[in-house]
Amino acid sequence: MNKYRSHNCSELRESDSDKKVYLSGWLHRKRDHGNLLFIDLRDHFGITQCVVENKNKYFKVLESIRQESVIKVYGNVVKRELGTENKDLKTGKIEINIDNIEILSEAKDLPMPVFGEQEYPEDIRLKYRFLDLRRNQMHKNIVLRSKVISFMRSEMSKLGFLEFQTPILTSSSPEGARDFLVPSRLNPGKFYALPQAPQQFKQLIMVSGFDKYFQIAPCFRDEDARADRSPGEFYQLDIEMSFVEQENVFEVVETLMINLFKNFSSKKLMFQKFPRISYEEAMIKYGSDKPDLRNPLLIHDLTNIFERDDVTFDIFKKLVKSGSKVRCIVTKKTKDKARSFFDNIDKWAKEQGASGLAYFTIEKENEISAKGPVGKFFKEEALKEIMKITAAEVGDSIFFACGKVNDVEKITSLAREKIARDLNLIDENKFAFCWIVDYPMFELDELGKKIQFSHNPFSMPQGDIKKINFDKPLEIKAYQYDIVCNGIELSSGAIRNHIPELMYKLFLIAGYNKTQVDEKFSGMINALSYGAPPHGGIAPGIDRIVMLLAGEKNIREVTLFPLNQNAQDLLMGAPSEVDEKQLKELNIKIEKKINS
RNA sequence: GGGGGUGUAGCUCAGUUGGUUAGAGCGCCUGCCUGUCACGCAGGAGGUCGCCGGUUCGAGCCCGGUCACUCCCGCCA
């Protein structure tokens, strides 16, 4: 092919026997027999075994050179003797008899080995990412990521979407996450912001008449990290479409996801048509708006039961009287589970900051009774009612949580997952997608006083625009939706509000008057005032999709050069201090924080 | 900002109730070895037990503080 190689390290077969070839790659592994030396030569494509005997003048050189050095090998392709073949290698039926070699780049002692599948501390992996990325699993994940993105591009193009780039230096937006700011040299004292998402731009693209747009869009948010959330930056498949209803967006995304997941994973899709679950229903049944539908457990509301006279569980009754809710989870056929199973869950709940989970098991001798620490507080009639509501049967157990709606939703949602894991109810070989729909337009803030947008302020409220009752804002639903897979939120989207008058009304409810809206969203409002198509879209998170396809639990496993949890790049040393001169040009002065 | 976990050789980890000189595997160095593919065998070097302080006759182990990494909550679409 060129002066470095005639073939790559995965190419040679029996049929190439007796050919003179030259290969280049990393010295993956050495097996030194003293007078005979085996070398596994590795490149991106695979591994080829090379052999050299002590009479070769390069023998000593190869003996002393370190792993991960890059060498060029010149030699003869030889068919391996029967019994010395390696079935695990594509090239396992041949080997290279080395004539001579050339060292292209020598490696120092390694801080972490490339060979093997052991786990290593993440700070070392990130500092030596180039070594980490040579390792098989990481290398595969990154290749997968590349293929997924290519696939998305080609599918979107086939569907008639056009790919555009939107600005990276843009303006700070008042809603949503913290912005990354970039000082402007030409405009002293002013800042650009990196886009949290190309939200306004993609809407402007629709207003500009381009009909359907997509982009593999970088998004920047200055928020704290999680396992499934990179600090700093991540990528979305940003999509926007003109003249569409919610279902049209769903069609595109469902088709894409089904093709994508069928193409890149052997795991089965639980639903060929993704279930649509309203936000309200999701919060009751799963305690979360990102339910893992592989998990068969459901949450039920039992608040009313604790208003009955034949229930004497006073702690819960008192809480219910003061507005708390009771929710429960039923586990099937758990009456013979060891006491420790129940107690562990209760203990776990306390560790999560809840006041624990009460539980009992339904039994029947002469009459139906509840066995367990709080069982004695429930008479037969009450138990029958509970069984009716929850579809619980004799032999099943019920776990209860009581508290304010938000708290009880949080703990039951976590408990649903915890209990299912303990009982091994989650099928890891499935993908369960669903849509969460009908999000409320507004919600109360934590103090329950101020009304604020619950999602995106640019979403279109549902129903006949002329008949919306703005006096009851909390009842207004929006054409706002999320797509969730295996409990991971992949994306949210919405049909956008393209009517300025309506937008002013909604902003007013959230406490912004017309002047304020004009100031903050002048570009957007202005654009919508000169003929805007009804439009909507969505933006699936690419990192999370690849994470699911790769079967990884951490987003950094599918990211080439991720920041660590403190948003530092240990390889490049970012963020870093800058020259006084640079600061001066930008009119910026650093005030050192003095710790007392 | 808050809570949990981890921190012992270059790397992965063990280290009993607080008790003499802190161990193993991989890697590294030296020697032996012509069919290995996690090659094998023999020997060797390598340690501020994250850091600071305390308790104790004695601390890798107990206590307090602190730092780093990570997971979670807050935050975030």
Side-chain angles (χ1 to χ4, degrees), chain A residues 29 31-32 34-35 38 49 80 84 95 118 120-121 221 223-224 226 229 455 492 554 556 565-566:
Chain A
R29 200 79 189 152
R31 289 175 293 281
D32 188 352
N35 294 313
F38 295 98
Q49 175 167 281
R80 294 207 206 175
T84 65
E95 63 195 8
Q118 233 178 331
Y120 301 99
R221 292 176 194 159
E223 295 295 346
D224 289 357
R226 287 288 182 280
R229 206 164 84 206
H455 260 65
S492 59
N554 192 301
R556 292 184 296 274
Q565 197 164 47
N566 296 325

XYZ file of all heavy atoms in Angstrom, chain A residues 29 31-32 34-35 38 49 80 84 95 118 120-121 221 223-224 226 229 455 492 554 556 565-566, chain B residues 1 10-12 27-29 33-40 68-77:
743
model
N 2.108 -7.544 22.366
C 2.440 -8.573 23.347
C 3.675 -9.317 22.840
O 3.832 -9.543 21.639
C 1.243 -9.540 23.400
C 1.141 -10.388 24.618
C 0.582 -9.642 25.794
N 0.739 -10.504 26.944
C 0.872 -10.071 28.189
N 0.831 -8.803 28.450
N 1.021 -10.913 29.172
N 6.136 -12.819 23.504
C 6.346 -14.095 24.199
C 7.744 -14.560 23.846
O 8.009 -15.038 22.738
C 5.277 -15.112 23.787
C 3.893 -14.787 24.343
C 2.826 -15.721 23.830
N 2.598 -15.568 22.412
C 1.870 -14.589 21.864
N 1.280 -13.691 22.642
N 1.723 -14.518 20.558
N 8.648 -14.396 24.808
C 10.077 -14.589 24.567
C 10.501 -15.978 25.039
O 10.495 -16.263 26.237
C 10.852 -13.500 25.333
C 12.325 -13.522 24.975
O 12.770 -14.456 24.263
O 13.039 -12.605 25.404
N 13.505 -17.186 24.509
C 14.956 -17.212 24.598
C 15.629 -17.301 23.247
O 16.403 -16.432 22.874
N 15.306 -18.342 22.514
C 15.868 -18.481 21.175
C 14.821 -18.312 20.084
O 15.099 -18.441 18.906
C 16.541 -19.846 21.023
C 17.754 -19.934 21.929
O 18.571 -19.016 21.960
N 17.842 -21.019 22.693
N 7.912 -14.634 19.917
C 6.640 -14.328 19.248
C 6.234 -12.894 19.552
O 6.371 -12.427 20.694
C 5.532 -15.249 19.745
C 5.748 -16.684 19.388
C 6.291 -17.562 20.311
C 5.413 -17.148 18.130
C 6.497 -18.888 19.987
C 5.615 -18.476 17.800
C 6.155 -19.345 18.723
N 0.367 -12.398 14.364
C 1.530 -12.908 15.084
C 2.755 -12.928 14.172
O 2.681 -13.368 13.025
C 1.250 -14.318 15.601
C 2.475 -14.954 16.252
C 2.153 -16.207 17.043
O 1.682 -16.142 18.166
N 2.423 -17.356 16.451
N 0.692 -21.593 9.541
C 1.081 -22.189 10.818
C 0.907 -23.704 10.774
O -0.009 -24.210 10.142
C 0.218 -21.630 11.949
C 0.420 -20.161 12.207
C 0.081 -19.852 13.656
N -0.341 -18.471 13.828
C -0.785 -17.976 14.983
N -0.891 -18.774 16.045
N -1.140 -16.722 15.091
N -0.839 -25.302 16.034
C -0.296 -24.032 16.530
C -1.134 -22.854 16.011
O -0.761 -21.708 16.147
C 1.165 -23.827 16.084
O 1.198 -23.700 14.655
C 2.034 -24.977 16.514
N 1.387 -16.736 10.206
C 2.215 -15.842 10.999
C 3.258 -15.247 10.061
O 3.421 -15.710 8.925
C 2.873 -16.584 12.158
C 3.827 -17.692 11.714
C 4.176 -18.643 12.856
O 3.573 -18.541 13.927
O 5.063 -19.488 12.647
N -8.657 -5.354 32.386
C -8.820 -4.938 33.760
C -9.342 -3.510 33.844
O -9.217 -2.734 32.909
C -7.482 -5.031 34.464
C -7.604 -5.844 35.711
C -6.297 -5.999 36.422
O -5.240 -5.985 35.827
N -6.382 -6.143 37.707
N -9.216 0.281 35.398
C -8.194 1.182 35.904
C -8.827 2.457 36.409
O -9.915 2.812 35.989
C -7.183 1.491 34.793
C -6.532 0.233 34.278
C -6.970 -0.375 33.123
C -5.525 -0.376 35.009
C -6.405 -1.557 32.673
C -4.953 -1.560 34.578
C -5.395 -2.142 33.418
O -4.843 -3.319 33.001
N -8.138 3.141 37.314
C -8.720 4.368 37.867
C -8.930 5.401 36.763
O -8.126 5.530 35.847
C -7.682 4.851 38.879
C -6.480 4.024 38.693
C -6.831 2.843 37.869
N -23.421 23.087 28.486
C -24.153 23.480 29.694
C -23.214 23.388 30.882
O -22.593 22.352 31.098
C -25.361 22.564 29.923
C -26.395 22.778 28.852
C -27.566 21.842 28.954
N -28.309 21.933 27.696
C -29.148 21.026 27.239
N -29.383 19.961 27.964
N -29.757 21.189 26.099
N -23.200 22.676 34.024
C -23.878 22.069 35.163
C -23.080 20.868 35.649
O -22.188 20.390 34.961
C -25.291 21.636 34.766
C -26.219 22.796 34.387
C -26.515 23.727 35.543
O -26.229 23.373 36.712
O -27.027 24.842 35.272
N -23.417 20.378 36.840
C -22.656 19.276 37.423
C -22.901 17.962 36.689
O -23.962 17.746 36.122
C -23.011 19.120 38.903
C -22.438 20.268 39.715
O -21.746 21.109 39.125
O -22.690 20.320 40.919
N -23.130 13.754 35.949
C -23.678 12.485 36.442
C -23.077 11.398 35.568
O -22.421 11.682 34.572
C -25.201 12.449 36.281
C -25.963 13.312 37.237
C -25.956 12.757 38.644
N -26.748 13.607 39.515
C -26.309 14.749 40.034
N -25.085 15.148 39.798
N -27.068 15.479 40.789
N -24.297 11.985 32.237
C -24.310 13.402 31.866
C -22.895 13.958 31.927
O -22.321 14.118 32.989
C -25.198 14.147 32.860
C -25.799 15.397 32.323
C -26.941 15.835 33.212
N -26.478 16.606 34.349
C -27.127 16.705 35.504
N -28.256 16.069 35.686
N -26.664 17.440 36.472
N -41.304 23.306 31.347
C -40.301 22.857 30.385
C -39.845 24.054 29.588
O -39.383 25.039 30.127
C -40.881 21.776 29.474
C -40.502 20.404 29.878
N -40.912 19.854 31.062
C -39.749 19.463 29.280
C -40.434 18.640 31.155
N -39.705 18.372 30.085
N -35.920 15.474 24.779
C -37.250 16.045 24.844
C -37.440 16.964 23.662
O -36.482 17.407 23.032
C -37.479 16.768 26.157
O -36.548 17.782 26.299
N -21.711 4.349 31.760
C -21.135 5.674 31.948
C -20.843 6.329 30.606
O -20.291 5.710 29.709
C -19.842 5.543 32.756
C -19.353 6.877 33.223
O -19.092 7.773 32.442
N -19.254 7.025 34.518
N -18.782 8.502 29.744
C -17.374 8.706 29.391
C -16.794 7.504 28.631
O -15.787 7.630 27.955
C -16.549 9.000 30.642
C -16.891 10.352 31.276
C -16.007 10.675 32.455
N -16.203 9.731 33.543
C -17.141 9.850 34.475
N -17.952 10.872 34.468
N -17.258 8.952 35.421
N -15.273 14.649 36.473
C -16.448 15.165 37.173
C -16.318 16.646 37.545
O -17.302 17.348 37.671
C -16.729 14.325 38.412
C -18.124 14.549 38.940
C -18.535 13.478 39.907
O -17.785 13.135 40.797
N -19.716 12.939 39.736
N -15.091 17.086 37.712
C -14.881 18.503 38.020
C -14.666 19.324 36.752
O -14.102 20.417 36.819
C -13.690 18.671 38.954
C -13.957 18.013 40.285
O -15.091 18.018 40.776
N -12.928 17.411 40.866
P -18.598 24.482 46.851
O -18.535 25.900 46.839
O -17.465 23.626 46.985
O -19.742 23.977 47.832
C -20.118 24.760 48.939
C -21.520 24.381 49.333
O -22.384 24.421 48.148
C -21.684 22.962 49.861
O -21.344 22.861 51.235
C -23.163 22.699 49.587
O -23.984 23.337 50.541
C -23.343 23.379 48.220
N -23.081 22.447 47.117
C -22.070 22.519 46.198
N -22.093 21.536 45.335
C -23.191 20.757 45.722
C -23.714 19.561 45.176
O -23.291 18.925 44.195
N -24.823 19.114 45.877
C -25.360 19.743 46.969
N -26.434 19.154 47.511
N -24.884 20.855 47.488
C -23.812 21.310 46.826
P 5.035 2.991 42.643
O 6.478 3.201 42.478
O 4.225 3.891 43.510
O 4.367 2.951 41.210
C 4.291 4.131 40.406
C 3.762 3.744 39.054
O 4.723 2.859 38.433
C 2.469 2.950 39.104
O 1.346 3.805 39.068
C 2.556 2.073 37.854
O 2.215 2.795 36.703
C 4.057 1.770 37.813
N 4.421 0.557 38.561
C 5.310 0.500 39.595
N 5.459 -0.710 40.089
C 4.606 -1.484 39.312
C 4.346 -2.870 39.370
O 4.814 -3.717 40.146
N 3.412 -3.257 38.420
C 2.826 -2.415 37.518
N 1.957 -2.977 36.697
N 3.055 -1.112 37.447
C 3.959 -0.719 38.361
P 0.041 3.487 39.911
O -0.848 4.644 39.729
O 0.405 3.037 41.260
O -0.576 2.251 39.126
C -1.270 2.443 37.896
C -1.822 1.127 37.409
O -0.707 0.214 37.177
C -2.697 0.388 38.403
O -4.024 0.860 38.423
C -2.590 -1.043 37.894
O -3.348 -1.230 36.732
C -1.107 -1.103 37.519
N -0.285 -1.576 38.658
C -0.323 -2.940 38.983
O -1.049 -3.685 38.327
N 0.433 -3.398 40.004
C 1.204 -2.555 40.688
N 1.937 -3.050 41.687
C 1.256 -1.157 40.382
C 0.504 -0.721 39.370
P -4.919 0.668 39.705
O -6.170 1.401 39.479
O -4.096 0.959 40.903
O -5.228 -0.888 39.711
C -6.055 -1.465 38.708
C -6.252 -2.928 39.011
O -4.965 -3.596 38.961
C -6.769 -3.219 40.418
O -8.174 -3.099 40.492
C -6.284 -4.637 40.643
O -7.110 -5.576 39.980
C -4.917 -4.615 39.948
N -3.826 -4.302 40.891
C -3.309 -5.342 41.641
O -3.722 -6.476 41.568
N -2.294 -4.996 42.490
C -1.750 -3.739 42.665
O -0.834 -3.582 43.465
C -2.338 -2.714 41.852
C -3.331 -3.025 41.019
P 3.692 -9.673 32.797
O 3.650 -9.995 31.363
O 4.531 -10.468 33.719
O 4.103 -8.142 32.959
C 3.540 -7.138 32.122
C 3.998 -5.773 32.566
O 3.571 -5.541 33.927
C 5.506 -5.574 32.619
O 6.035 -5.258 31.343
C 5.630 -4.412 33.595
O 5.298 -3.186 32.988
C 4.543 -4.775 34.609
N 5.097 -5.584 35.703
C 4.925 -6.920 35.923
N 5.557 -7.350 36.976
C 6.185 -6.228 37.486
C 7.013 -6.076 38.636
O 7.368 -6.924 39.449
N 7.453 -4.765 38.781
C 7.123 -3.726 37.933
N 7.633 -2.542 38.231
N 6.338 -3.857 36.870
C 5.912 -5.134 36.715
P 7.494 -5.731 30.946
O 7.734 -5.267 29.568
O 7.617 -7.169 31.270
O 8.433 -4.928 31.957
C 8.562 -3.521 31.869
C 9.520 -3.013 32.912
O 8.961 -3.266 34.242
C 10.870 -3.734 32.962
O 11.762 -3.232 31.992
C 11.329 -3.451 34.387
O 11.820 -2.141 34.524
C 10.006 -3.561 35.149
N 9.780 -4.923 35.690
C 10.445 -5.315 36.854
O 11.221 -4.513 37.404
N 10.237 -6.556 37.358
C 9.400 -7.389 36.745
N 9.227 -8.596 37.283
C 8.712 -7.029 35.545
C 8.933 -5.800 35.056
P 12.721 -4.208 31.205
O 13.298 -3.426 30.090
O 12.004 -5.461 30.929
O 13.862 -4.501 32.274
C 14.732 -3.470 32.703
C 15.666 -4.007 33.759
O 14.900 -4.346 34.951
C 16.369 -5.310 33.408
O 17.497 -5.125 32.584
C 16.725 -5.855 34.784
O 17.838 -5.173 35.334
C 15.479 -5.470 35.582
N 14.487 -6.564 35.617
C 14.681 -7.609 36.533
O 15.682 -7.580 37.260
N 13.767 -8.621 36.587
C 12.716 -8.604 35.776
N 11.860 -9.624 35.879
C 12.493 -7.557 34.832
C 13.395 -6.569 34.783
P 19.504 -21.119 27.263
O 20.388 -22.138 26.661
O 19.608 -19.693 26.843
O 17.995 -21.562 27.067
C 17.598 -22.907 27.338
C 16.098 -23.018 27.259
O 15.496 -22.095 28.209
C 15.483 -22.613 25.924
O 15.551 -23.654 24.964
C 14.052 -22.289 26.336
O 13.298 -23.467 26.524
C 14.268 -21.609 27.696
N 14.342 -20.133 27.577
C 13.145 -19.403 27.583
O 12.073 -20.015 27.698
N 13.188 -18.061 27.460
C 14.363 -17.443 27.339
N 14.356 -16.112 27.223
C 15.590 -18.151 27.333
C 15.541 -19.486 27.453
P 15.793 -23.221 23.437
O 16.804 -24.169 22.896
O 16.017 -21.750 23.380
O 14.387 -23.539 22.749
C 13.244 -22.734 23.011
C 12.270 -22.866 21.856
O 12.833 -22.229 20.676
C 11.936 -24.299 21.471
O 10.565 -24.338 21.092
C 12.783 -24.530 20.227
O 12.250 -25.486 19.332
C 12.741 -23.137 19.596
N 13.839 -22.834 18.680
C 13.493 -22.488 17.385
O 12.339 -22.431 17.015
N 14.548 -22.211 16.557
C 15.875 -22.258 16.884
O 16.713 -21.978 16.039
C 16.172 -22.626 18.244
C 15.148 -22.903 19.074
P 9.639 -25.456 21.763
O 9.821 -25.415 23.230
O 9.862 -26.731 21.028
O 8.179 -24.949 21.423
C 7.583 -23.897 22.179
C 6.328 -23.446 21.485
O 6.676 -22.706 20.290
C 5.417 -24.589 21.044
O 4.070 -24.165 21.133
C 5.746 -24.728 19.560
O 4.695 -25.283 18.788
C 5.987 -23.256 19.196
N 6.796 -23.043 17.993
C 8.093 -23.400 17.775
N 8.524 -23.038 16.598
C 7.446 -22.403 16.008
C 7.310 -21.798 14.746
O 8.156 -21.682 13.859
N 6.046 -21.269 14.549
C 5.035 -21.336 15.464
N 3.882 -20.775 15.095
N 5.132 -21.892 16.662
C 6.362 -22.400 16.862
P 3.177 -24.607 22.395
O 3.966 -25.439 23.313
O 1.901 -25.109 21.865
O 2.886 -23.202 23.070
C 3.748 -22.729 24.099
C 3.852 -21.232 24.013
O 4.456 -20.856 22.749
C 2.511 -20.503 24.009
O 2.009 -20.356 25.322
C 2.893 -19.168 23.394
O 3.552 -18.338 24.313
C 3.918 -19.608 22.341
N 3.325 -19.754 20.995
C 3.032 -18.595 20.296
O 3.249 -17.490 20.764
N 2.485 -18.778 19.066
C 2.206 -19.978 18.457
O 1.716 -19.981 17.337
C 2.547 -21.137 19.236
C 3.074 -20.986 20.447
P 0.454 -20.486 25.586
O 0.270 -20.250 27.024
O -0.058 -21.716 24.948
O -0.145 -19.239 24.784
C 0.074 -17.910 25.261
C -0.416 -16.932 24.230
O 0.201 -17.217 22.963
C -1.904 -16.998 23.950
O -2.563 -16.153 24.854
C -2.020 -16.470 22.531
O -2.067 -15.058 22.507
C -0.683 -16.892 21.919
N -0.780 -18.062 21.032
C -1.120 -17.851 19.695
O -1.345 -16.690 19.318
N -1.198 -18.904 18.859
C -0.938 -20.134 19.322
N -1.017 -21.148 18.472
C -0.599 -20.373 20.693
C -0.531 -19.313 21.513
P -3.886 -16.466 25.520
O -3.888 -17.809 26.141
O -4.938 -16.101 24.580
O -3.846 -15.337 26.656
C -3.358 -14.034 26.354
C -2.404 -13.561 27.429
O -3.115 -13.463 28.678
C -1.217 -14.476 27.681
O -0.075 -13.680 28.008
C -1.627 -15.267 28.906
O -0.539 -15.702 29.693
C -2.428 -14.219 29.669
N -3.418 -14.770 30.592
C -4.206 -15.866 30.445
N -4.998 -16.092 31.443
C -4.711 -15.067 32.329
C -5.208 -14.743 33.597
N -6.151 -15.451 34.209
N -4.706 -13.663 34.218
C -3.768 -12.953 33.577
N -3.217 -13.149 32.382
C -3.740 -14.240 31.813
P 1.195 -13.655 26.988
O 2.246 -12.790 27.550
O 0.639 -13.385 25.681
O 1.705 -15.167 27.020
C 2.655 -15.563 27.989
C 2.753 -17.058 27.988
O 3.582 -17.496 26.863
C 3.465 -17.651 29.185
O 2.621 -17.717 30.334
C 3.811 -19.034 28.644
O 2.674 -19.868 28.571
C 4.254 -18.674 27.212
N 5.712 -18.425 27.187
C 6.570 -19.526 27.210
O 6.085 -20.673 27.236
N 7.913 -19.331 27.217
C 8.398 -18.088 27.203
N 9.710 -17.946 27.211
C 7.544 -16.945 27.190
C 6.217 -17.155 27.185
P 3.294 -17.390 31.764
O 2.221 -17.495 32.765
O 4.123 -16.175 31.682
O 4.287 -18.624 31.939
C 3.783 -19.941 32.052
C 4.928 -20.913 32.112
O 5.748 -20.767 30.908
C 5.913 -20.676 33.246
O 5.460 -21.214 34.469
C 7.164 -21.384 32.713
O 7.042 -22.787 32.824
C 7.110 -20.994 31.235
N 7.863 -19.756 30.985
C 7.359 -18.504 30.711
N 8.296 -17.609 30.523
C 9.485 -18.305 30.690
C 10.839 -17.864 30.611
O 11.269 -16.733 30.378
N 11.737 -18.910 30.862
C 11.380 -20.206 31.133
N 12.382 -21.060 31.348
N 10.114 -20.628 31.203
C 9.232 -19.632 30.970
P -9.281 18.611 45.750
O -9.106 19.645 44.718
O -10.568 18.491 46.463
O -8.933 17.190 45.124
C -7.751 17.006 44.355
C -7.607 15.561 43.980
O -7.461 14.762 45.180
C -8.815 14.949 43.295
O -8.863 15.262 41.919
C -8.608 13.461 43.559
O -7.599 12.930 42.716
C -8.068 13.495 44.985
N -9.132 13.344 45.991
C -9.783 14.315 46.699
N -10.686 13.852 47.529
C -10.628 12.478 47.349
C -11.321 11.417 47.939
N -12.268 11.569 48.877
N -11.028 10.155 47.537
C -10.094 9.991 46.604
N -9.348 10.914 45.973
C -9.669 12.147 46.404
P -10.297 15.445 41.207
O -10.028 16.036 39.884
O -11.229 16.111 42.145
O -10.801 13.955 41.008
C -10.114 13.085 40.118
C -10.554 11.663 40.341
O -10.287 11.290 41.722
C -12.048 11.413 40.205
O -12.460 11.308 38.864
C -12.188 10.100 40.969
O -11.687 9.017 40.219
C -11.265 10.358 42.154
N -11.991 10.935 43.306
C -12.703 10.052 44.138
O -12.688 8.837 43.870
N -13.390 10.545 45.198
C -13.379 11.856 45.432
N -14.059 12.297 46.490
C -12.669 12.779 44.604
C -11.994 12.278 43.562
P -13.916 11.790 38.438
O -13.989 11.717 36.971
O -14.273 13.053 39.136
O -14.850 10.643 39.057
C -14.803 9.319 38.563
C -15.572 8.401 39.488
O -15.055 8.551 40.831
C -17.057 8.726 39.631
O -17.809 8.145 38.585
C -17.380 8.107 40.984
O -17.527 6.712 40.892
C -16.110 8.420 41.768
N -16.207 9.659 42.550
C -16.878 9.598 43.764
O -17.383 8.574 44.171
N -16.933 10.774 44.464
C -16.391 11.987 44.085
O -16.526 12.956 44.838
C -15.719 11.971 42.822
C -15.646 10.841 42.122
P -19.139 8.858 38.075
O -19.476 8.237 36.785
O -18.985 10.324 38.185
O -20.217 8.414 39.162
C -20.667 7.075 39.229
C -21.542 6.885 40.441
O -20.756 7.109 41.636
C -22.687 7.881 40.596
O -23.794 7.576 39.782
C -22.992 7.742 42.078
O -23.673 6.538 42.345
C -21.589 7.653 42.655
N -21.068 8.983 43.041
C -21.430 9.489 44.294
O -22.184 8.806 45.011
N -20.963 10.692 44.690
C -20.161 11.394 43.890
N -19.725 12.581 44.320
C -19.776 10.916 42.604
C -20.244 9.712 42.224
P -24.748 8.737 39.278
O -25.710 8.126 38.351
O -23.932 9.889 38.841
O -25.514 9.196 40.600
C -26.505 8.364 41.190
C -26.903 8.884 42.552
O -25.716 9.094 43.365
C -27.572 10.252 42.582
O -28.943 10.189 42.232
C -27.369 10.646 44.036
O -28.260 9.948 44.880
C -25.952 10.146 44.285
N -24.955 11.216 44.077
C -24.808 12.174 45.075
O -25.502 12.094 46.089
N -23.903 13.176 44.923
C -23.167 13.230 43.806
N -22.288 14.230 43.694
C -23.306 12.271 42.756
C -24.202 11.283 42.931
P -29.650 11.456 41.598
O -30.999 11.027 41.202
O -28.750 12.065 40.604
O -29.758 12.456 42.832
C -30.692 12.216 43.878
C -30.619 13.317 44.913
O -29.292 13.362 45.500
C -30.816 14.734 44.403
O -32.172 15.054 44.185
C -30.207 15.539 45.544
O -31.071 15.605 46.661
C -28.995 14.691 45.886
N -27.785 15.152 45.166
C -27.135 16.304 45.629
O -27.582 16.883 46.632
N -26.038 16.756 44.984
C -25.590 16.107 43.908
N -24.500 16.580 43.306
C -26.241 14.938 43.410
C -27.317 14.502 44.060
P -32.589 16.034 42.986
O -34.061 16.161 42.998
O -31.899 15.582 41.746
O -31.952 17.425 43.431
C -32.500 18.172 44.508
C -31.606 19.353 44.818
O -30.277 18.880 45.127
C -31.391 20.343 43.669
O -32.437 21.288 43.576
C -30.067 20.987 44.049
O -30.239 21.954 45.054
C -29.311 19.784 44.627
N -28.525 19.108 43.581
C -28.833 17.942 42.924
N -27.942 17.603 42.031
C -26.991 18.610 42.099
C -25.793 18.800 41.371
O -25.312 18.080 40.493
N -25.125 19.960 41.751
C -25.564 20.827 42.723
N -24.790 21.892 42.944
N -26.679 20.666 43.411
C -27.342 19.546 43.053
P -33.156 21.561 42.189
O -34.010 22.749 42.363
O -33.734 20.309 41.680
O -31.944 21.944 41.228
C -31.339 23.230 41.272
C -30.145 23.262 40.346
O -29.224 22.212 40.734
C -30.445 22.952 38.882
O -30.949 24.075 38.187
C -29.086 22.504 38.378
O -28.232 23.602 38.173
C -28.578 21.689 39.569
N -28.919 20.251 39.428
C -28.069 19.447 38.660
O -27.070 19.965 38.132
N -28.369 18.137 38.497
C -29.456 17.615 39.065
N -29.695 16.325 38.883
C -30.336 18.413 39.857
C -30.035 19.702 40.011
P -32.097 23.884 37.106
O -32.361 25.219 36.532
O -33.201 23.084 37.668
O -31.365 22.990 36.013
C -30.389 23.551 35.148
C -29.766 22.476 34.309
O -29.387 21.369 35.154
C -30.687 21.839 33.272
O -30.700 22.615 32.093
C -30.044 20.476 33.051
O -28.958 20.561 32.161
C -29.518 20.142 34.451
N -30.434 19.263 35.191
C -30.451 17.897 34.878
O -29.704 17.472 34.001
N -31.300 17.089 35.556
C -32.096 17.586 36.506
N -32.908 16.749 37.149
C -32.094 18.974 36.843
C -31.259 19.770 36.160
P -31.982 22.793 31.232
O -31.677 23.867 30.271
O -33.139 22.920 32.125
O -32.112 21.417 30.426
C -31.096 21.039 29.498
C -31.565 19.896 28.626
O -32.355 18.974 29.382
C -32.436 20.333 27.436
O -32.158 19.468 26.320
C -33.810 20.040 27.927
O -34.714 19.820 26.905
C -33.606 18.758 28.745
N -34.628 18.525 29.737
C -34.506 17.787 30.879
N -35.583 17.712 31.611
C -36.495 18.457 30.893
C -37.838 18.764 31.136
N -38.514 18.346 32.200
N -38.486 19.510 30.233
C -37.791 19.945 29.165
N -36.529 19.727 28.847
C -35.919 18.960 29.753
